[in-house]
Amino acid sequence: MIIIMKHGHTPEQREDVIARVKEEGLDVHLSVGEGTTIIGVIGMPILDSLKSAIESRDAVEQVFRVTKRYKLASREFHPESTVIDVDGVKIGGDEVVIMAGPCSVESEEQLMATAKAVSDGGAKVLRGGAFKPRTSPYEFRGMHEDGLKILAQARDEYGLKIITEVMTPADVELVGRYTDIFQIGARNCQNYQLLEEVGRTGKPAMLKRGMAVQYEEWLLLAEYIMAQGNPNVMLCERGVRGFETYTRNIFDLTAIPVVKHLSHLPIIADPSHGTGHWHLIPAMSLASVAAGADGLIVEVHNDPSHAMSDGAQSLKPERFNELVPQLQQIAAAVGRTLAPVEEAVAAD
Ligand code: PEP
Ligand code: MN
């Protein structure tokens, strides 16, 4: 942290600032120039409480941080990209991993049909919400444990890994019995107790970006999970709120290379929630892979016209099947791989 003192401050005021810094067990490096005095603070971590305390002093002009507030999630302290091993499916390595499936688990018939389609199409992970955070309490809010059981059945049948949302700390144990990856949704990404509870399980977690969460805040949220001893955190860009109404959210493509730059954690793109329209998903999926995403999470429904949530942004299986070979080409162009589609399916 760098502290710039106001012109004309007194030696007592300077000593007062230095004493406050030393109270935290940190050291200072003083540079007194003609007109400007700068106090460099040496040591970690620098808490916001100290930064604020220094800023509150009359004799202080400005205070800047030079080190990041997040440490475990930072690439500075962990230059190698993290590869999360989800029981054999590696996320964050050379291969771009596709997660696909319906927004909600609605019935055994719907989920099994969609699971077969996405598995045949090249997905390695099946998505499907059993606990749904809905804007209106009158909408379908998920099948809860019955939905988790259907997901587990699809995993056994098709050899897919499962990702499903957990909404409260109290449900972490239940959801953890069924899922391979915890999904922490945009609305709950600032539920600190939920983050810590998921952190204590050690199980892979995908942390979606909240609708108004800045990059630094997002990485500090990941830090909540990691600080409980769980290094298996991936981030998911799913769009933020903006002034445009045509799309559901503003899909922040830039977040992908930014996260790669700031952090070693894998980044997954969710163009479904990012755009809200199925016809925009192919273009934004391709763009996400080109931008360096480690994976995609895409809503696919066997019958979007009857979906109980997010039908308008769900791809039909045929469109998903058309998209995957294009994704393979983009992945190859940026030095990545994408799982080949089974020959039998490619020949269909
Ligand atoms: C979802 O994945 O269906 C979902 C609710 O996503 P988000 O938390 O990004 O809105
Ligand atoms: Mn959805």
Side-chain angles (χ1 to χ4, degrees):
M1 186 167 74
I2 304 282
I3 303 165
I4 302 177
M5 300 298 293
K6 269 190 189 146
H7 192 65
H9 69 273
T10 65
E12 291 74 28
Q13 287 175 315
R14 183 195 305 160
E15 284 314 311
D16 167 57
V17 169
I18 293 173
R20 180 66 186 85
V21 169
K22 288 191 169 171
E23 255 177 54
E24 305 278 323
L26 299 164
D27 217 345
V28 297
H29 181 275
L30 183 63
S31 155
V32 183
E34 276 290 299
T36 317
T37 295
I38 295 171
I39 303 170
V41 179
I42 302 153
M44 275 277 277
I46 293 168
L47 299 179
D48 228 35
S49 52
L50 175 65
K51 182 169 179 274
S52 275
I54 301 296
E55 279 168 335
S56 75
R57 280 160 164 78
D58 280 351
V60 171
E61 181 68 41
Q62 255 183 314
V63 182
F64 301 101
R65 281 183 176 283
V66 286
T67 48
K68 309 241 173 0
R69 295 174 73 191
Y70 48 88
K71 195 170 176 187
L72 299 171
S74 170
R75 201 179 268 283
E76 226 175 349
F77 298 101
H78 189 300
E80 295 269 294
S81 292
T82 283
V83 180
I84 301 175
D85 189 344
V86 185
D87 204 9
V89 173
K90 295 201 169 57
I91 301 177
D94 285 344
E95 187 178 331
V96 177
V97 173
I98 301 183
M99 309 183 191
C103 179
S104 303
V105 180
E106 300 166 10
S107 67
E108 184 180 328
E109 189 194 12
Q110 167 250 12
L111 191 80
M112 296 306 269
T114 308
K116 178 174 186 339
V118 300
S119 165
D120 288 351
K124 293 274 177 80
V125 180
L126 175 67
R127 64 147 292 148
F131 291 90
K132 293 303 301 176
R134 302 306 303 275
T135 301
S136 160
Y138 308 118
E139 300 282 351
F140 175 64
R141 289 160 72 183
M143 292 179 74
H144 299 177
E145 189 168 5
D146 289 342
L148 297 173
K149 287 183 179 157
I150 299 172
L151 283 167
Q153 195 183 322
R155 170 179 42 208
D156 294 346
E157 179 88 18
Y158 298 109
L160 294 158
K161 307 298 168 209
I162 301 297
I163 181 166
T164 196
E165 180 159 354
V166 60
M167 285 174 56
T168 69
D171 290 334
V172 167
E173 196 274 323
L174 169 70
V175 175
R177 261 189 267 142
Y178 294 91
T179 199
D180 299 298
I181 308 172
F182 285 111
Q183 175 171 322
I184 298 169
R187 292 158 190 80
N188 260 314
C189 78
Q190 287 167 304
N191 181 340
Y192 304 106
Q193 285 162 327
L194 175 63
L195 300 178
E196 290 192 328
E197 198 58 39
V198 166
R200 283 189 278 273
T201 67
K203 205 174 241 248
M206 186 183 80
L207 178 63
K208 286 192 152 198
R209 180 180 181 189
M211 295 172 202
V213 165
Q214 297 173 332
Y215 300 138
E216 184 192 55
E217 292 171 322
W218 194 9
L219 292 168
L220 283 164
L221 294 168
E223 200 87 4
Y224 267 89
I225 303 173
M226 299 175 86
Q228 294 302 315
N230 185 353
N232 302 311
V233 180
M234 58 197 101
L235 300 161
C236 175
E237 166 59 37
R238 49 76 73 203
V240 291
R241 273 279 160 88
F243 54 80
E244 181 55 65
T245 55
Y246 182 81
T247 49
R248 180 173 177 177
N249 288 296
I250 311 292
F251 182 59
D252 181 10
L253 199 53
T254 317
I256 297 166
V258 169
V259 165
K260 284 268 150 212
H261 179 71
L262 296 176
S263 176
H264 53 90
L265 299 175
I267 172 85
I268 310 297
D270 175 352
S272 306
H273 295 86
T275 64
H277 299 281
W278 64 265
H279 65 97
L280 300 175
I281 290 163
M284 296 321 291
S285 299
L286 293 165
S288 297
V289 173
D294 297 300
L296 291 170
I297 183 160
V298 180
E299 286 184 339
V300 177
H301 195 291
N302 64 324
D303 180 11
S305 66
H306 289 97
M308 294 173 86
S309 61
D310 288 350
Q313 64 187 39
S314 297
L315 290 179
K316 289 180 180 162
E318 310 86 87
R319 295 194 201 276
F320 176 70
N321 287 342
E322 279 165 22
L323 173 61
V324 176
Q326 296 176 345
L327 290 170
Q328 284 173 322
Q329 290 186 326
I330 298 291
V334 294
R336 308 286 292 265
T337 60
L338 204 134
V341 180
E342 300 290 326
E343 270 177 28
V345 177
D348 273 354

